[in-house]
Amino acid sequence: LVEWGQGKLKSWRKEASAIQTDVLKAEDSEQSCTSQDLAMRVKLQNKLAGVCEEMCKEVGAYPKCAQCPQFVEPDSTPGVMTWPELLEHMDNLVEWGQGKLKSWRKEASAIQTDVVKAEDSEQSCTS
């Protein structure tokens, strides 16, 4: 009876171990399927990204394509400068002007320094 009980326990342990191994394999397989599914979705989405705007135009949702990746809305006022665009342009002009003044001052200073050096060398030659 003892041998029979030990034999049964041994077989049950083997069955339990096999069941656990099958469960782990199924979980790994499920994770593998999930990762493969995600990879395929990414490939499909990347492939469709190029034609997303055309599809939106066909269905009439074009300037408001929020679902399209990297969608840049077209200028709503082509050829006309809006106040925010004008203010940004003016800021850019101020920045450009300050840079130009700085470079001109630097050039003028260099010219003055060269003139002073030339005058000093002339005076030393005549003395």
Side-chain angles (χ1 to χ4, degrees):
L1 190 60
V2 172
E3 280 182 34
W4 176 81
Q6 288 175 344
K8 281 291 185 184
L9 285 173
K10 192 174 182 181
S11 69
W12 288 342
R13 285 189 187 115
K14 280 185 180 179
E15 284 182 42
S17 177
I19 290 172
Q20 286 177 341
T21 304
D22 289 345
V23 167
L24 289 175
K25 285 181 183 175
E27 286 177 0
D28 288 343
S29 174
E30 190 174 309
Q31 287 176 351
S32 176
C33 287
T34 303
S35 64
Q36 287 177 353
D37 180 55
L38 182 61
M40 290 303 291
R41 287 174 185 255
V42 167
K43 283 182 183 178
L44 178 66
Q45 190 173 13
N46 288 340
K47 194 169 201 169
L48 290 177
V51 295
C52 186
E53 280 188 44
E54 285 80 24
M55 288 190 313
C56 285
K57 287 177 184 177
E58 286 179 21
V59 296
Y62 175 59
K64 297 183 180 12
C65 310
Q67 293 84 12
C68 293
Q70 301 172 344
F71 174 71
V72 178
E73 191 170 328
D75 189 6
S76 59
T77 57
V80 177
M81 190 174 281
T82 62
W83 280 107
E85 291 171 338
L86 177 64
L87 293 174
E88 182 182 353
H89 181 65
M90 294 302 290
D91 289 341
N92 292 339
L93 284 175
V94 167
E95 202 173 306
W96 174 80
Q98 289 172 341
K100 279 295 189 184
L101 287 173
K102 187 175 181 180
S103 69
W104 291 340
R105 284 187 190 112
K106 197 173 191 179
E107 283 181 40
S109 175
I111 291 171
Q112 287 176 343
T113 306
D114 290 345
V115 168
V116 169
K117 285 181 184 176
E119 288 176 358
D120 288 343
S121 69
E122 280 180 26
Q123 287 179 354
S124 65
C125 289
T126 56
S127 333

